[in-house]
Amino acid sequence: MKYSEKNHTFVICAYQENPYLENCILSIFNQNLLGKVLISTSTPNQYILGLAQKYNIPIVINSDNASSTNNFNFAYTQVDTELVTICHQDDYYESNYLESILQVINKSKKMIIIFTDYSENRDGKIISQNVLLTIKRILNFPLQYKSLWGSKWVRRRILSLGNPICCPSVTFHKKMIPSVPFNTLLESSVDWKSWLDLSQLEGEFIYCPKKLMVHRIWKGSLTSQTIDNQVRDKEDYQILCSLWPEPLAKIIFNFYKKSQNSNKQSG
């Protein structure tokens, strides 16, 4: 099957009154190709409802506001297309995001997920190169080659050293995923655990090395909050101990923890 924009949905997870939500929406409507757009929220308010009305976007409401993971899974289940990108309201997409990933997807036979390279926005400044981004690109490098897309061994080895996959850059193929994609047992490292779970499925993990989205780093983001309250440390260590003997897991964890410093925001 050849996929087009008609087979894809951007579902935007909106929460409370985030100042960057409209910017995320605008980046989606600025796509060279665009299929469906949906807003999902567990905190309906005049701000979110107003933006949905302004841009004529359907909105679905999750009455079970248990966790951000629950909200992501709820948003995923509301989509009726085979391809879905779960958008975080802080982040935004380059105009060729969907166009570029569709070109790659149509070279695939059994894609589970496709994810892209990305840049960071820190206080309005775009950062395309730093130590953490370089490490992630090195780890992801093998998965840009079609011959390795289907290798469980390769993707498991990559994920055993850390989480190099930027969650909002991911597009899921619902047909290849038997249930909701996100593991609900963790709070902060849920995406890493979820990629590990999905990596065990038969199918393909695909990396597109183009910088097709921008991840915003700021003090109000969930990532920054969970790092600050040390939830991330506990869960990262737990995952590493499930993958390595504990002495080796400690060594990898100490190295991996240093990379979190770039996501801490003061003030």
Side-chain angles (χ1 to χ4, degrees):
M1 175 180 176
K2 184 175 176 63
Y3 290 99
S4 73
E5 66 274 18
K6 295 179 181 178
N7 306 112
H8 178 270
T9 300
F10 283 105
V11 56
I12 305 164
C13 290
Y15 185 72
Q16 295 183 350
E17 296 184 4
N18 185 286
Y20 302 112
L21 174 57
E22 187 167 20
N23 190 63
C24 177
I25 292 171
L26 288 171
S27 76
I28 290 169
F29 279 99
N30 195 41
Q31 292 293 303
N32 297 338
L33 297 174
L34 185 61
K36 294 185 177 182
V37 183
L38 184 68
I39 289 178
S40 177
T41 184
S42 62
T43 58
N45 55 53
Q46 288 304 311
Y47 176 70
I48 294 173
L49 296 173
L51 286 174
Q53 183 176 24
K54 178 179 179 179
Y55 293 99
N56 194 28
I57 305 173
I59 187 167
V60 291
I61 297 173
N62 180 11
S63 58
D64 180 14
N65 185 20
S67 66
S68 58
T69 306
N70 174 279
N71 290 329
F72 291 153
N73 281 334
F74 173 82
Y76 179 88
T77 63
Q78 302 306 299
V79 172
D80 60 8
T81 56
E82 281 195 36
L83 304 175
V84 54
T85 305
I86 299 177
C87 311
H88 299 192
Q89 60 188 354
D90 303 320
D91 306 322
Y92 54 99
Y93 295 82
E94 302 295 349
S95 61
N96 59 335
Y97 173 87
L98 183 55
E99 180 182 37
S100 297
I101 66 164
L102 285 172
Q103 291 173 355
V104 181
I105 289 170
N106 283 320
K107 298 176 183 178
S108 169
K109 294 180 180 179
K110 294 182 179 180
M111 182 198 88
I112 302 170
I113 61 171
I114 182 170
F115 58 98
T116 78
D117 195 2
Y118 68 101
S119 300
E120 296 178 341
N121 182 314
R122 296 173 180 270
D123 299 321
K125 183 178 180 180
I126 303 301
I127 307 296
S128 296
Q129 192 77 29
N130 60 29
V131 173
L132 180 58
L133 290 173
T134 297
I135 291 171
K136 290 187 175 187
R137 288 165 187 157
I138 292 170
L139 289 173
N140 287 326
F141 182 81
L143 291 177
Q144 67 183 298
Y145 293 106
K146 187 176 180 180
S147 60
L148 298 178
W149 288 350
S151 172
K152 290 184 183 180
W153 186 88
V154 169
R155 60 199 186 218
R156 292 285 290 181
R157 296 292 72 75
I158 290 169
L159 289 165
S160 71
L161 296 173
N163 177 21
I165 300 176
C166 182
C167 189
S169 81
V170 174
T171 289
F172 302 86
H173 187 188
K174 294 188 74 173
K175 190 176 181 180
M176 296 294 294
I177 299 172
S179 60
V180 291
F182 292 106
N183 186 292
T184 58
L185 299 178
L186 301 180
E187 178 183 344
S188 176
S189 304
V190 58
D191 50 346
W192 186 7
K193 181 63 169 68
S194 299
W195 311 143
L196 283 163
D197 292 344
L198 293 176
S199 74
Q200 299 182 65
L201 299 176
E202 295 294 335
E204 298 172 336
F205 267 45
I206 303 172
Y207 171 56
C208 177
K210 295 180 179 179
K211 300 179 186 67
L212 296 177
M213 65 148 298
V214 181
H215 176 50
R216 189 183 304 274
I217 307 295
W218 70 297
K219 64 181 180 180
S221 71
L222 180 63
T223 299
S224 295
Q225 291 170 7
T226 54
I227 288 174
D228 287 343
N229 67 20
Q230 297 185 333
V231 172
R232 172 65 66 87
D233 285 356
K234 178 182 176 181
E235 294 183 353
D236 284 352
Y237 185 66
Q238 178 183 335
I239 290 174
L240 286 168
C241 285
S242 74
L243 296 166
W244 300 96
E246 188 170 358
L248 189 53
K250 285 184 178 180
I251 294 172
I252 298 172
F253 172 74
N254 288 332
F255 178 79
Y256 190 66
K257 184 178 177 180
K258 292 179 182 178
S259 70
Q260 295 175 3
N261 293 332
S262 66
N263 280 331
K264 290 186 178 181
Q265 294 291 294
S266 60

